[in-house]
Amino acid sequence: MNDPYEVLGLARGVGLMEAERAYQRLRELYAEDSLATYALLGSDERRERLNAIEQAFREIVATGNQRPIAFPERPENMSDEPEEDGPLPDPVQHPGLYLGRLRRRTGLQLRDLAERTKISPSKLENIEQERLAQLPPPVYLRGFVLEYARCLGVPDPRQLAENYLRLLAPAHGEQ
Amino acid sequence: MESAVLKRRPSRVWAVGGGKGGVGKSAISSNLGVALARRGYRTVLVDADLGGANLHTMVGVPAPSRSLTELFTRAAGNLSEVIVPTGIPNLDLISGAHALLDMANPKHLQKQKIIRQLFTLDADIVLLDLSAGTSFTTIDFFLAAHEPIVVVIPTPTSIENAYHFLKAAFYRRLKGAIVRSGAGPLVDVALEQKLARGIRSPRELIRHITELDAVAGAAIAGEMTRLRPKLIVNQIRRQEELTLGEQMADACRDFFGVEMNFLGGIHNDDRVVYSIQLKRPALEAYPHSPFAMAIEGLALRLLAQHKEGDNE
């Protein structure tokens, strides 16, 4: 099976966001400790499957320089932030930076997102910049991050919120 | 060319299986039966667990006077003769009780006859409670059903058995499809080249057969896509386990190339055990329990698909 879209179970030429969602979903599905695929494959088969998924996604990222199709193109002159082409930050290490990069990549501005999430732009910016000292208490923060991630169509918003709270834990411990 | 006699709507057969014992197949099928009967569907519950039948107890029929046994001992010639009422309006039972020890694997012809008769019972829905395990009988009942339903619980053992069961069902159907397509020798080649070609899953195997012979491949693939099992996740105890159903459906699509429809989850509910102790269906003993509500929801979902099925 050589077509990377087929490997990820996608229609050919879908947007990068959708490909990433499928990639994350499959990676989780075939993870070593995944209950949902327990005993479905041997450990060699599992590794091979994971490799194929990894390769397929890389190929899609490398060849598809298309913009994500989930969001409309914005006129160039409305952009007040620089274009970024590098890889996305690690969502585990830097969930805030990850969200920020993803938002800019999709062409949304903070105020667009504030409008959709009903969370103020300054709060959203603090979340993106991971300004831990200025963040609301975890119980609110969790909700904000979830909402932000959902609005952007992040593959697993709950996981991302978990990642974010983990970021916070050591900072609180130090205080 | 249809004659007036044949216009009677044929019964639809639903089969509840899943490989592992103790995952709640009998509790689910008996209560589904009650839910359907209450909605006015003439339903026949069939205890196809020939080794250890006890569906009758679940619906409060202490000692059924007739059972499937008679078909094998030839005391009865037809399945419809061994139907007993349950006392619940619209709900009848074919018990597997008093099963003989050697009956779990009946003769092929007998089995085929019973399967044929299941489809012509005078009922709206025939609901089969399959036995645990992956015997040919169980797999054949499962594959013959209009609605094959798999029940799992969120434990590695249950999921392992469910995949074992699905693999057995998949390959049994595939074998039949290959024979009917006339592509036998071709598939032998494909299977021989399986490892060399990097074929790792049934989905890839079918794709490979299609590359070798487009016509046979399409016929086989067509037959395999008609295998659309449904999934119920029972005894959910933790929130995370709610995602299991969708994930298993994903795995089925990705690995087998089979669309498995996740019907829904049922939270763990001790009242199921209490109701069995009372020898009454949970829907009657505890009509407002989470289990009863979940069963009602599943019945509605299955009925919606049942109606779609009529238009096929």
Side-chain angles (χ1 to χ4, degrees):
Chain A
M1 207 178 289
N2 301 319
D3 177 46
Y5 290 97
E6 200 177 331
V7 171
L8 297 186
L10 295 166
R12 204 155 301 186
V14 298
L16 204 56
M17 292 277 279
E18 198 172 326
E20 188 177 356
R21 261 194 294 266
Y23 162 69
Q24 298 281 12
R25 217 180 52 229
L26 288 173
R27 223 169 51 150
E28 202 180 312
L29 187 62
Y30 288 110
E32 209 65 57
D33 58 351
S34 159
L35 182 61
T37 53
Y38 180 76
L40 180 61
L41 329 106
S43 59
D44 285 350
E45 292 174 303
R46 186 181 294 274
R47 256 194 308 280
E48 279 179 26
R49 188 77 195 109
L50 280 169
N51 282 339
I53 290 161
E54 195 71 41
Q55 263 177 29
F57 182 59
R58 281 195 193 158
E59 206 179 320
I60 290 173
V61 172
T63 56
N65 51 0
Q66 83 257 44
R67 284 169 156 273
I69 53 166
F71 294 88
E73 296 252 359
R74 275 162 23 87
E76 285 307 312
N77 58 1
M78 275 179 73
S79 175
D80 50 8
E81 289 164 310
E83 282 277 321
E84 290 164 284
D85 287 323
L88 285 168
D90 181 353
V92 177
Q93 298 290 328
H94 291 291
L97 300 183
Y98 172 83
L99 284 173
R101 177 74 67 85
L102 207 58
R103 171 182 63 76
R104 290 189 290 277
R105 203 184 249 193
T106 58
L108 287 169
Q109 298 201 27
L110 274 174
R111 61 165 185 275
D112 299 329
L113 213 68
E115 213 167 90
R116 293 187 194 189
T117 58
K118 312 288 178 220
I119 303 167
S120 76
S122 65
K123 281 204 189 81
L124 289 175
E125 198 181 355
N126 287 339
I127 290 173
E128 281 186 1
Q129 299 294 325
E130 299 176 2
R131 292 180 190 129
L132 303 188
Q134 289 165 50
L135 293 174
V139 57
Y140 296 109
L141 178 65
R142 190 188 147 77
F144 289 167
V145 174
L146 259 177
E147 198 50 41
Y148 185 159
R150 275 200 198 112
C151 250
L152 269 188
V154 166
D156 189 348
R158 277 204 355 234
Q159 186 57 47
L160 195 87
E162 295 304 320
N163 295 346
Y164 210 108
L165 291 187
R166 229 172 286 142
L167 202 66
L168 213 56
H172 272 225
E174 283 161 25
Q175 278 167 8
Chain B
M1 289 291 282
E2 273 179 90
S3 76
V5 192
L6 290 174
K7 278 227 168 115
R8 189 178 65 78
R9 220 169 135 288
S11 57
R12 298 283 290 185
V13 178
W14 301 4
V16 181
K20 180 129 175 67
V23 299
K25 285 188 296 289
S26 298
I28 288 172
S29 47
S30 56
N31 282 286
L32 264 181
V34 175
L36 295 171
R38 281 186 185 171
R39 289 194 160 71
Y41 291 86
R42 291 175 311 133
T43 305
V44 179
L45 269 173
V46 181
D47 195 340
D49 189 344
L50 299 179
N54 55 19
L55 200 60
H56 54 281
T57 307
M58 298 262 192
V59 288
V61 179
S65 51
R66 321 226 32 190
S67 81
L68 271 180
T69 316
E70 295 172 56
L71 287 168
F72 298 105
T73 58
R74 299 182 197 279
N78 197 299
L79 202 56
S80 57
E81 293 170 38
V82 297
I83 295 179
V84 296
T86 61
I88 297 165
N90 288 326
L91 188 66
D92 288 336
L93 172 75
I94 293 179
S95 173
H98 319 302
L100 303 174
L101 276 178
D102 60 348
M103 243 177 50
N105 270 314
K107 296 251 157 44
H108 183 72
L109 278 177
Q110 277 181 322
K111 194 167 65 188
Q112 290 305 320
K113 190 174 151 201
I114 292 175
I115 288 180
R116 260 198 320 276
Q117 290 181 359
L118 279 175
F119 283 79
T120 51
L121 279 181
D122 181 24
D124 296 321
I125 294 162
V126 176
L127 197 48
L128 303 182
D129 179 26
L130 300 178
S131 61
T134 51
S135 72
F136 281 155
T137 310
T138 304
I139 298 286
D140 285 343
F141 279 138
F142 184 78
L143 286 174
H146 295 106
E147 305 282 7
I149 302 164
V150 173
V151 178
V152 295
I153 60 173
T155 63
T157 42
S158 164
I159 287 163
E160 182 169 15
N161 283 9
Y163 282 132
H164 190 60
F165 181 80
L166 282 168
K167 275 183 196 170
F170 182 92
Y171 280 111
R172 192 151 168 86
R173 169 65 63 88
L174 183 63
K175 237 180 189 171
I178 288 166
V179 171
R180 283 185 287 278
S181 75
L186 196 78
V187 176
D188 293 339
V189 176
L191 282 168
E192 265 169 38
Q193 296 175 339
K194 199 172 152 186
L195 287 175
R197 293 266 182 164
I199 295 170
R200 294 173 205 95
S201 67
R203 178 162 73 111
E204 290 172 344
L205 178 64
I206 291 178
R207 191 177 182 277
H208 184 58
I209 295 171
T210 310
E211 277 169 7
L212 293 172
D213 180 338
V215 177
I220 294 169
E223 255 191 78
M224 296 315 291
T225 52
R226 281 202 294 280
L227 175 59
R228 307 190 78 155
K230 303 194 183 332
L231 178 70
I232 295 173
V233 180
N234 194 21
Q235 295 177 16
I236 291 174
R237 287 179 168 85
R238 290 182 301 170
Q239 202 64 26
E240 310 91 90
E241 293 164 356
L242 284 168
T243 56
L244 182 65
E246 288 299 347
Q247 282 194 311
M248 284 185 74
D250 275 350
C252 237
R253 188 179 308 116
D254 191 57
F255 187 76
F256 295 108
V258 162
E259 287 294 326
M260 182 163 69
N261 180 356
F262 172 49
L263 283 176
I266 305 177
H267 283 268
N268 187 52
D269 188 347
D270 285 340
R271 270 154 293 197
V272 179
V273 179
Y274 304 157
S275 70
I276 297 170
Q277 286 164 346
L278 293 170
K279 302 185 211 76
R280 290 178 66 198
L283 249 69
E284 288 197 337
Y286 303 99
H288 303 296
S289 61
F291 177 80
M293 310 276 213
I295 290 288
E296 299 276 5
L298 291 170
L300 286 177
R301 235 157 296 155
L302 277 158
L303 281 170
Q305 292 168 3
H306 166 84
K307 280 171 193 141
E308 277 170 30
D310 281 353
N311 303 325
E312 271 171 16

